[in-house]
Amino acid sequence: MIAKANDPFNTTKPRAKSVQRSAIHVEDLEVADDPLPQKRSLGPGRYDDLFASMKPGQCIKCEPEHTGAIGNALRSWLKRKRKKNLSVKAARHYPACKDKLGRVWLVAAPESASAKQSIKR
């Protein structure tokens, strides 16, 4: 009997394909005196210009399935730019929207309770 792919009793695993690697020739290698980089160089992100133009309270309209990815990209951008006074809120389904788009907001973060107590003292 031939085992089918959707058979729950089939315990054989498909054979993994091996990675084709080219041979390394010593003649092609060379020694260099390049300095070690101080830190990893990251190029500008896909949304950096859009995020930089946003002000607290503004939102980005996007497809509902993209709200999570754009929200996470905005959170990582805030972390990279060290903007601790801002946060991100996302809504996959925005009820006031007739075109059924999601929203990702840039929100001013509320002050923490410990920061308020230190100001009062």
Side-chain angles (χ1 to χ4, degrees):
M1 183 170 162
I2 299 173
K4 296 182 180 178
N6 58 358
D7 183 9
F9 301 106
N10 182 9
T11 58
T12 59
K13 295 183 179 179
R15 188 173 177 190
K17 294 182 181 179
S18 62
V19 177
Q20 297 294 328
R21 295 196 170 109
S22 61
I24 299 173
H25 300 286
V26 176
E27 301 85 29
D28 296 338
L29 303 177
E30 64 180 82
V31 176
D33 292 325
D34 297 336
L36 183 67
Q38 296 300 319
K39 64 178 188 176
R40 220 170 87 187
S41 174
L42 296 173
R46 179 187 307 180
Y47 308 113
D48 281 359
D49 295 335
L50 177 67
F51 295 158
S53 68
M54 289 180 71
K55 295 179 178 79
Q58 290 183 323
C59 67
I60 298 171
K61 287 183 183 181
C62 58
E63 294 295 323
E65 60 268 9
H66 298 155
T67 55
I70 293 173
N72 287 335
L74 183 53
R75 284 182 192 93
S76 66
W77 181 82
L78 289 173
K79 187 176 180 182
R80 210 171 54 237
K81 297 295 180 180
R82 296 185 176 103
K83 297 187 182 250
K84 295 183 180 183
N85 59 340
L86 299 173
S87 65
V88 177
K89 300 288 182 188
R92 184 172 277 240
H93 301 288
Y94 186 61
C97 181
K98 293 180 182 173
D99 49 359
K100 297 182 181 176
L101 293 175
R103 300 284 195 279
V104 178
W105 285 272
L106 180 65
V107 182
E111 292 183 35
S112 64
S114 61
K116 288 180 183 178
Q117 289 176 356
S118 64
I119 293 172
K120 290 180 181 179
R121 290 183 185 176

